[in-house]
Amino acid sequence: MSNFSNYIAGEWVAADDYIKNINPSDLSDVIGQYAQASSAQLDTALDAARQAQKVWAATGLEKRYNVLMSIGEEMKNRAAELGELLSREEGKPLAEGKGEIFRAGQFFTYYAAEVLRQMGDTADSVRDGIEIDVRREPVGVVAIISPWNFPTATATWKIAPALAYGNAVVWKPANLTPASAWALAEIFSRHDLPKGLFNLVMGGGSSVGQRLVESAGVDAISFTGSVDVGRGIAASAMANMTKVQMEMGSKNPLVVMDDADLDLAVSCAVGGAFGGTGQKCTASSRLIVHEKIHDAFVEKASAATKAMKVGHALTDGVQLGPVVSETQLNSNLAYMKLAKEEGCELVCGGDRLDMATEGYFMSPALFINGDNSMKINREEMFAPIACVIKVGSYDEALSVSNNTGFGLTSGIMTNSLARANHYRRNSRTGCVMINLPTAGTDYHVPFGGRGDSSYGPREQGSYAAEFYTQVKTSYISSGSPE
């Protein structure tokens, strides 16, 4: 069994402690053992990042462009290989794993181009003889804490802009998916970056992660994960007045109106709810359906849910792989029990499945007769579980849709331009989908939510500059030429 080290200050560094990375599709398949960084190693990474950032910020734009473009192209070219590794350790179907790696490469090629588009502003002062220059500068050392459900994509949409805008990175990935993190670090290790500009510090959230967010050596923290952890990070960051950007949970609604294309609505609902085994922050677990088409929708959605193929993530034709861990599976089954206790009616699914290999498999579950006060409709489950909530009007659908502490994505299925436009303007979420699944966003435009879903500046697109840079306004009095 191979051991995989952390990448710190431009070197691969062994550790005293390692964890096993196990394939959730086949528990007999151990992918490797991954180093757990010590406190001293984290401090070394932070010190190296501080020094390397100064060098990188002074590096010419053309070189920064070339490095990011090269990383992005390598990732796209290796999408099949690295996508298989990702699916093997996280459990998403192979097609999704390959797609995630390719998309991660696109983040780097996009931000490579952004390197060349960093423009400032000029203005005349209200005082005679003074000119004003406004430009963005790097924020400094960025701590990145990324989740396991999109172990490469989420990390890269943070790392790529951090580097594009001249920052250094100390990255703590999720301990459930270290193989994808190590593979990305290996790519970085072969590119012409200052030693210490990029650091991989694998380890537990309560140890390495907590020490990282408490460090005065960090200038900004970008986090994706749960609400509770996010609140703790914000509290720790405040002690040092550290800039924070957090993407957390959600409970996304998909409204299906009586004038919707029913087949399209079912496709969007089922794909949005169960894609990635429901382990997406953009998953549509609340299906808000107009009473006039409720029964027809449930009949078709039930048939589509039952037809989904569950199996080993690397098997051809599999639509749902396993959930990521035994802990996650037990949580999912507990929500199944809770939904029944709350009065929901199970239409189909929700069982742990025995497959050819031992893994954390369960069938996607569809409930009906739910209401918006139930915990399964209030809490993010991160599970292949969806609940239909029946409503009598568009106004009620909008009200139920907005009745949540979260606010990441929402969607409506309708052929009415008036309803679609009204919903777009009045849905209290960061992203709104019209006749599309709630899951699925582009990389060149901002992503983020409201309420408990997000805190701080938006991610992705040119809007990422708000987090990864700081603005400097300079006043210049040049005097008179002689």
Side-chain angles (χ1 to χ4, degrees), residues 1 82 111 155 216 279 295 387-388 470:
M1 185 187 307
L82 298 180
Y111 281 107
Q279 297 173 148
D295 292 351
C387 183
V388 176
Q470 50 196 344

Side-chain angles (χ1 to χ4, degrees), residues 7-12 56 63 66-79 81-82 85 101 163 179-200:
Y7 188 66
I8 296 171
E11 304 291 340
W12 293 104
W56 183 243
K63 179 175 180 179
N66 286 334
V67 169
L68 267 65
M69 184 62 71
S70 178
I71 291 170
E73 291 298 339
E74 178 173 347
M75 294 188 72
K76 290 193 286 185
N77 292 335
R78 295 175 64 191
E81 169 205 351
L82 298 180
L85 176 64
I101 297 296
L163 297 180
S180 295
W182 190 93
L184 181 56
E186 193 277 331
I187 293 175
F188 274 98
S189 73
R190 290 185 282 98
H191 283 79
D192 188 13
L193 296 169
K195 289 184 179 297
L197 188 73
F198 169 85
N199 301 271
L200 173 69

